[in-house]
């Protein structure tokens, strides 16, 4: 796997960065974006029933021409009813006549999308354990589970979840410390989504300055610093982008100099202060919109002036 792996508690290898098809991509045809991610080095693709992107992931895999064994596919149980029927439905989307040649007879990781998806933890998780035993999925895990959810599941589980995928960024790190400690003790790999929201969706907060300082020191982007910080916590990453340049930026994190202990602590401390107020975020958004509009007006003015200049020069030549 191109960007490194960790070994899950069931012995399977898990790529530490995934291309996700949720967020702004759900409910859309993401075939080209998944294909672009694969072309640029992503081997781990994350989808879910709820996203309604599974079919497009299957198509992108087929179009890539890569063997199934070179890709790691995660999907999630998002609805009520039998988990077994749900995973069979997900697999059938990859096994119909259109995609049969790729042989998607299993997923690498099957997650419970949220605790609410299981009406009963004990019987629901038993189905997950049986699906793993039957080879429909190589690993089983959960998503959006709190410490209390995991403790409740552990009372009856024979097989521990291999992964817990959660929203994770500097502004919620403090509230997740106990969960991270528990997962580490249980050898449950934590995977983060939404990590960049701390600087993209909530700009102007205390995290910005320390992230920018670290980025300047190691010659990285703020996004890369956030991902380096996530990795410093032993947490894997799922992210997304429509931009090829962004995808390359994210994958390059593994090649950057590590953050210092002081930089990691500074991000921790800044995050503990909490995100900026909605007023600050709104003001910055308006400022960005104004700057963008001003830039467009400036270029429009230049284009008009250039047009007039070209017209008068041409007219002068005609008169000559």
């Amino acid at each position: 796997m191109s960007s490194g792996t960790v070994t899950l508690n069931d012995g399977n290898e898990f790529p530490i960065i995934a291309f996700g098809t949720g967020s702004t991509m759900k409910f859309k045809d993401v075939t080209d974006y998944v294909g672009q991610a694969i072309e640029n080095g992503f081997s781990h693709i994350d989808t879910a029933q709820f996203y309604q992107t599974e079919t497009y992931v299957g198509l992108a895999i087929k179009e890539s021409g890569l063997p199934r064994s070179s890709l790691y596919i995660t999907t999630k149980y998002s609805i009520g009813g039998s988990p077994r029927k749900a995973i069979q439905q997900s697999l059938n989307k990859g096994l119909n006549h259109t995609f049969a040649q790729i042989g998607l007879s299993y997923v690498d990781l099957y997650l419970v999308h949220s605790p609410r998806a299981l009406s009963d933890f004990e019987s629901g998780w038993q189905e997950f354990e049986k699906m793993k035993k039957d080879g429909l999925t190589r690993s089983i895990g959960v998503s959006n589970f709190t410490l209390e959810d995991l403790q409740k599941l552990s009372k009856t589980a024979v097989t521990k979840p291999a992964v817990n995928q959660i929203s994770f960024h500097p502004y919620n790190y403090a509230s997740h410390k106990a969960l991270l400690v528990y997962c580490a003790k249980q050898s449950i790999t934590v995977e983060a989504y939404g990590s960049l929201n701390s600087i993209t969706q909530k700009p102007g907060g205390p995290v910005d300055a320390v992230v920018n300082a670290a980025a300047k020191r190691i010659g990285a982007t703020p996004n890369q610093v956030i991902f380096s910080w996530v990795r410093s916590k032993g947490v894997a990453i799922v992210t997304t982008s429509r931009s090829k340049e962004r995808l390359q930026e994210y994958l390059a994190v593994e090649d950057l100099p590590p953050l210092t202990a002081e930089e990691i602590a500074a991000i921790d401390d800044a995050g503990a202060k909490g995100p900026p107020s909605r007023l600050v975020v709104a003001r910055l958004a308006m400022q960005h919109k104004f700057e963008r509009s001003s830039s467009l007006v400036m270029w429009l003015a230049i284009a008009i002036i250039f047009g007039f200049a070209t017209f008068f020069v041409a007219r002068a030549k005609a008169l000559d």
Side-chain angles (χ1 to χ4, degrees):
M1 302 293 180
S2 59
S3 57
T5 64
V6 295
T7 303
L8 300 178
N9 58 24
D10 59 9
N12 290 317
E13 292 298 305
F14 181 74
I16 59 176
I17 185 166
F19 177 81
T21 59
S23 185
T24 60
M25 291 198 176
K26 57 180 177 285
F27 316 134
K28 297 179 175 66
D29 182 343
V30 297
T31 308
D32 290 342
Y33 298 123
V34 175
Q36 179 176 252
I38 293 172
E39 288 174 4
N40 282 276
F42 278 83
S43 60
H44 183 178
I45 307 300
D46 181 283
T47 181
Q49 286 180 314
F50 176 72
Y51 302 159
Q52 298 178 26
T53 55
E54 291 174 319
T55 296
Y56 306 117
V57 169
L59 181 57
I61 292 171
K62 175 180 180 291
E63 292 180 349
S64 76
L66 295 174
R68 172 68 180 87
S69 59
S70 69
L71 295 170
Y72 190 102
I73 309 301
T74 294
T75 192
K76 308 176 189 75
Y77 168 68
S78 308
I79 59 175
S82 166
R84 190 179 190 88
K85 287 183 180 179
I87 195 172
Q88 287 173 333
Q89 181 183 12
S90 294
L91 292 173
N92 285 339
K93 290 178 180 178
L95 287 172
N96 61 29
H97 64 89
T98 305
F99 308 136
Q101 67 188 50
I102 67 171
L104 192 59
S105 57
Y106 68 93
V107 291
D108 296 277
L109 176 64
Y110 197 50
L111 302 177
V112 180
H113 206 153
S114 78
R116 296 186 300 275
L118 294 180
S119 57
D120 179 76
F121 273 26
E122 182 175 1
S123 60
W125 191 249
Q126 284 175 352
E127 279 199 68
F128 269 69
E129 292 173 328
K130 185 67 165 53
M131 290 186 293
K132 174 176 168 58
K133 183 178 179 181
D134 292 343
L136 295 175
T137 179
R138 292 188 169 178
S139 298
I140 53 177
V142 296
S143 179
N144 300 305
F145 270 49
T146 65
L147 172 59
E148 292 73 20
D149 292 327
L150 288 175
Q151 289 173 329
K152 177 181 177 182
L153 184 65
S154 70
K155 292 179 180 178
T156 57
V158 175
T159 303
K160 295 178 184 178
V163 172
N164 184 20
Q165 187 184 109
I166 61 172
S167 168
F168 183 73
H169 50 75
Y171 288 126
N172 70 9
Y173 167 60
S175 65
H176 279 325
K177 281 184 178 180
L179 175 62
L180 294 181
V181 170
Y182 178 86
C183 287
K185 288 181 178 178
Q186 298 296 319
S187 298
I188 299 171
T189 296
V190 176
E191 183 181 27
Y193 69 84
S195 297
L196 296 180
N197 290 350
S198 54
I199 57 175
T200 60
Q201 303 299 315
K202 299 175 181 178
V207 164
D208 289 25
V210 291
V211 165
N212 290 337
K216 183 177 181 181
R217 183 188 70 80
I218 64 175
T221 66
N223 291 340
Q224 290 175 321
V225 169
I226 290 292
F227 282 155
S228 293
W229 174 84
V230 172
R231 292 296 304 127
S232 77
K233 303 302 181 185
V235 175
I237 297 163
V238 57
T239 188
T240 192
S241 178
R242 291 172 170 79
S243 163
K244 178 178 72 173
E245 290 72 26
R246 287 289 189 204
L247 298 177
Q248 294 170 344
E249 172 190 342
Y250 300 158
L251 289 174
V253 169
E254 293 300 305
D255 301 322
L256 294 172
L259 299 177
T260 65
E262 291 75 17
E263 287 168 336
I264 293 169
I267 295 173
D268 293 351
D269 293 342
K273 295 176 182 177
S277 67
R278 292 182 179 179
L279 183 62
V280 170
V281 174
R283 188 182 73 242
L284 287 174
M286 288 297 295
Q287 180 180 335
H288 176 71
K289 185 176 181 180
F290 174 77
E291 290 172 350
R292 186 177 178 185
S293 299
S294 298
S295 178
L296 289 173
V297 170
M298 180 187 70
W299 284 110
L300 180 61
I302 291 173
I304 292 172
I305 292 170
F306 180 77
F308 273 117
T310 302
F311 170 76
F312 284 118
V313 168
R315 185 177 180 184
K317 287 183 177 179
L319 292 174
D320 288 343

